[in-house]
Amino acid sequence: AGEHVLQAPQEAFGMEQSAAPQMQTQQMEHEPPSLAKAQWAHPIDHLEAGSVLIANENQGGLFYGKVLLIVEHTWEGTTAVCINSIFPGGLTEVATNQGSYLEQPLLNAFANTDVAYGGNMRMGEYSLLHGFGEIHGAQKIAPGVFLGGEHGLANEVMQGRFNPDEALFVKGKCQWYPGRLEAEIQSGKWYVAAASSDLVLRNAGAAKKMNGQPNDLWKDILMCMGGYFADVATKYAGNLKP
């Protein structure tokens, strides 16, 4: 009894405001998002490539405590990859355990590079998330964030021009038909945010500076968003499983 129950903001995606969300809006105005030099995040009211989805604290199952990076959003639907669910071991071990076939040059260059469970679609596909920059086969997702270009980067590794620890393979993807993800957001399953490349690339070699908890990306993004979202992070992060 007497426990404060957090109420999610409902302004985004055309949701009607009530008295409680109005109070939260006022609170958020007085508590702006934390904008560190290299790490920042703020809520947005639309979907676009490069934005992130933060699972609602009450969402269970596959996406419990997860952060997804949207890599494509068009009239044909939305594709995202989970960036904070890391398999034990590096690429060679994961590929062996998962029965995946990868070309030997990739295994030679990225043997110990971390691999994330990207999603439950296209599970046989491995894509490389990195901040190296423009290279053949890579798609620019957001400023400083790129996906793909594995073979070009393998050559850069072998030439000593790229550190394989500064990348993250993602195995599989998440996909939604047109309108499906928007409906999930309206129902409260996801928070949507823009975030700095240092946060997006947290597990791809970016600096890890947040209060001695380098792997808690879910909490760190919400804390940077400030206000109501920081309250959620503080209240629920301790209950999240590794």
Side-chain angles (χ1 to χ4, degrees):
E3 181 180 3
H4 174 61
V5 178
L6 296 172
Q7 298 290 330
Q10 299 181 19
E11 295 89 341
F13 293 88
M15 301 176 93
E16 294 183 359
Q17 295 187 5
S18 65
Q22 187 175 4
M23 292 176 61
Q24 291 160 10
T25 301
Q26 293 172 354
Q27 178 189 29
M28 291 171 65
E29 289 174 353
H30 288 90
E31 298 181 41
S34 172
L35 299 178
K37 288 184 178 179
Q39 297 186 118
W40 54 263
H42 59 82
I44 58 176
D45 62 359
H46 62 280
L47 293 170
E48 62 182 5
S51 56
V52 293
L53 301 170
I54 306 102
N56 180 282
E57 62 276 9
N58 296 314
Q59 183 172 177
L62 179 65
F63 295 117
Y64 177 74
K66 298 300 183 289
V67 176
L68 276 61
L69 171 66
I70 296 179
V71 298
E72 186 175 31
H73 179 65
T74 70
W75 63 272
E76 295 180 302
T78 306
T79 301
V81 293
C82 181
I83 56 175
N84 69 329
S85 183
I86 311 300
F87 286 106
L91 180 64
T92 298
E93 182 178 341
V94 172
T96 299
N97 292 341
Q98 297 288 319
S100 303
Y101 170 77
L102 292 173
E103 297 176 20
Q104 196 60 45
L106 292 180
L107 295 174
N108 292 341
F110 298 105
N112 298 311
T113 300
D114 283 339
V115 182
Y117 172 78
N120 59 354
M121 303 293 291
R122 302 186 190 178
M123 285 294 294
E125 293 185 9
Y126 287 73
S127 302
L128 194 62
L129 183 67
H130 58 90
F132 179 82
E134 301 285 353
I135 193 167
H136 180 71
Q139 172 190 1
K140 183 178 180 180
I141 304 301
V145 179
F146 299 82
L147 186 71
E150 297 85 6
H151 293 89
L153 281 175
N155 183 62
E156 295 295 318
V157 171
M158 302 310 290
Q159 296 296 322
R161 295 190 291 260
F162 182 65
N163 182 351
D165 291 336
E166 296 180 354
L168 175 70
F169 275 94
V170 288
K171 181 181 187 296
K173 297 178 179 179
C174 303
Q175 295 182 304
W176 292 265
Y177 291 115
R180 182 68 179 271
L181 179 56
E182 288 86 343
E184 291 186 9
I185 294 168
Q186 286 185 330
S187 71
K189 289 185 176 181
W190 303 99
Y191 303 122
V192 186
S196 65
S197 60
D198 267 23
L199 285 170
V200 172
L201 298 177
R202 165 66 60 82
N203 293 308
K208 300 174 180 178
K209 306 173 182 176
M210 293 292 245
N211 299 324
Q213 299 181 11
N215 297 317
D216 198 350
L217 185 60
W218 185 89
K219 177 182 178 181
D220 290 350
I221 291 179
L222 289 172
M223 289 297 292
C224 280
M225 291 166 69
Y228 162 80
F229 304 100
D231 289 345
V232 169
T234 302
K235 183 177 178 65
Y236 291 96
N239 297 324
L240 293 178
K241 301 172 184 176

